[in-house]
Amino acid sequence: MYGAHDVRVETVPDARIVEPTDALVRVTRACICGSDLWPYNSMPTSETGNRMGHEFIGVVESIGTDVRTVKKGDLVVAPFAWSDGTCEFCQQGLQTSCLHGGWWGGTELDGGQGEAVRVPQADGTLVGLPVGPDHALMPSLLTLSDVMGTGHHAALRANVRPGKVAAVVGDGAVGLCGVIAARRLGAEQIIMLGRHADRIALARRFGATDVVSERGDAAIERVGELTGGLGAHSVLECVGHGESMRTAVGIARAGGAVGRVGVPQEATIPHAQPTFYGNITIAGGPAPVRAYMHELMPDVLEGRIEPGLVFDRITNIDGVPDGYRAMNDREAIKVMIEF
Ligand SMILES: [Zn+2]
């Protein structure tokens, strides 16, 4: 990406092993993320450009001399951040704060939207998949690299509990996966706040019991009507806009929690006083999806959840620029790239 609305497919130097803890992965599937749309709309023009993509599945082509947990030929899924798996934060399941980790892409590292990736800290980062690269569940397994784990994180941080009310702000892929997560954790009433017919239909299929298509104060009022005037116990904020956060804290009930996973686009959290007087917890951040892969994968493999349905368009590497456009124009929910 060279700037706003400027995504190019280019030939770059081949990915290769640099450190003994690296693995070289040939990408078989990747995707475009809603969070990629933030720079897509705002990135200043750059001479060098940034490698893009942080969600991928691929085959290990070679490993460094210190790598123990994956081997050549393994099919692996990568989380959206790489991590050593051993430091203080990794051990507590917060791999996105790894002391020796980092993020894909940029100017130094390979991105997932490319044919091959040098994976640092391969042992702490990659997770093997027990199926072949063309298995029918590939789309759902690919969501473990970000959106399904991120939806799950929002639900955990929002303290979703069996029998309670959860609300999801945002009908993008993460919000839709948040519906799956809320249902999976036993929420009885799941209110989706969204406006796009195709996304609402998917939300209902995933378990949403109510849909609120109003915005702003009207949305807050509508959620109030649906919850006996009390609001939701748990609110999953899956957008990151100031307005979506205002809605999220506005629909949380006293003593409730907002789990935010949308990258904040504003410097402050709104409604400091109402959230204070309501004892509302605001938590969340980048999801440590690496920590959730082993928990969520059996549900995918055994068919209990199907988050791969968020992919409504498939393209190849040459179609990536148009894939960005399609997601940005809300023509597509989420675009998968096949190599
Ligand atoms: Zn670590």
Side-chain angles (χ1 to χ4, degrees):
M1 183 179 289
Y2 282 84
H5 296 200
D6 186 2
V7 177
R8 308 176 197 170
V9 179
E10 292 188 333
T11 300
V12 297
D14 284 346
R16 61 187 181 88
I17 302 282
V18 176
E19 300 289 337
T21 46
D22 290 350
L24 179 63
V25 171
R26 174 173 55 82
V27 177
T28 56
R29 309 260 177 153
C31 45
I32 302 172
C33 187
S35 64
D36 293 333
L37 298 179
W38 296 123
Y40 184 74
N41 284 299
S42 65
M43 181 177 159
T45 301
S46 155
E47 290 292 314
T48 52
N50 282 342
R51 309 273 189 94
M52 298 299 296
H54 53 256
E55 304 153 282
F56 60 96
I57 283 172
V59 176
V60 176
E61 290 291 310
S62 61
I63 56 172
T65 51
D66 289 349
V67 174
R68 297 285 175 269
T69 61
V70 296
K71 62 183 189 306
K72 182 173 160 56
D74 285 355
L75 186 71
V76 292
V77 58
F80 69 77
W82 46 275
S83 53
D84 63 8
T86 56
C87 77
E88 175 80 15
F89 294 118
C90 283
Q91 286 188 44
Q92 74 178 61
L94 195 59
Q95 283 88 340
T96 44
S97 293
C98 178
L99 296 172
H100 310 104
W103 312 90
W104 306 109
T107 55
E108 301 297 320
L109 279 174
D110 304 304
Q113 292 160 12
E115 292 174 327
V117 175
R118 174 200 155 214
V119 175
Q121 305 288 357
D123 280 338
T125 302
L126 298 172
V127 173
L129 295 172
V131 292
D134 295 318
H135 194 278
L137 288 175
M138 258 330 109
S140 287
L141 292 166
L142 181 58
T143 68
L144 300 180
S145 69
D146 188 345
V147 290
M148 186 60 228
T150 296
H152 180 63
H153 187 61
L156 290 182
R157 287 295 190 261
N159 202 23
V160 171
R161 288 282 185 272
K164 305 295 187 189
V165 182
V168 180
V169 179
D171 59 7
V174 171
L176 292 166
C177 288
V179 172
I180 296 175
R183 182 181 183 183
R184 187 178 169 277
L185 293 170
E188 184 169 301
Q189 185 181 14
I190 302 174
I191 304 168
M192 162 56 83
L193 284 82
R195 299 157 62 84
H196 302 86
D198 53 339
R199 299 169 185 222
I200 287 169
L202 198 48
R204 286 199 181 277
R205 181 167 173 180
F206 285 159
T209 56
D210 301 276
V211 172
V212 170
S213 294
E214 291 89 347
R215 301 185 99 160
D217 289 343
I220 294 170
E221 201 171 306
R222 184 75 190 113
V223 173
E225 289 166 10
L226 291 169
T227 56
L230 301 177
H233 299 91
S234 301
V235 182
L236 289 64
E237 198 290 308
C238 304
V239 183
H241 274 144
E243 186 190 337
S244 60
M245 193 63 194
R246 273 185 287 280
T247 301
V249 298
I251 63 177
R253 74 169 63 190
V258 176
R260 56 188 187 133
V261 292
V263 181
Q265 302 301 302
E266 291 189 8
T268 56
I269 296 176
H271 290 324
Q273 286 188 345
T275 52
F276 174 82
Y277 285 108
N279 272 286
I280 292 166
T281 300
I282 297 178
V289 297
R290 178 63 171 77
Y292 306 142
M293 283 180 172
H294 291 291
E295 179 182 347
L296 296 172
M297 197 181 297
D299 280 23
V300 169
L301 293 172
E302 290 156 30
R304 285 185 291 274
I305 60 174
E306 198 177 354
L309 290 171
V310 298
F311 292 110
D312 56 351
R313 186 172 295 198
I314 300 173
T315 189
N316 58 20
I317 185 72
D318 291 321
V320 169
D322 192 60
Y324 275 84
R325 184 206 55 74
M327 281 178 61
N328 196 50
D329 292 348
R330 303 294 185 267
E331 265 176 34
I333 301 174
K334 193 166 176 70
V335 175
M336 183 164 64
I337 309 158
E338 289 183 344
F339 292 85

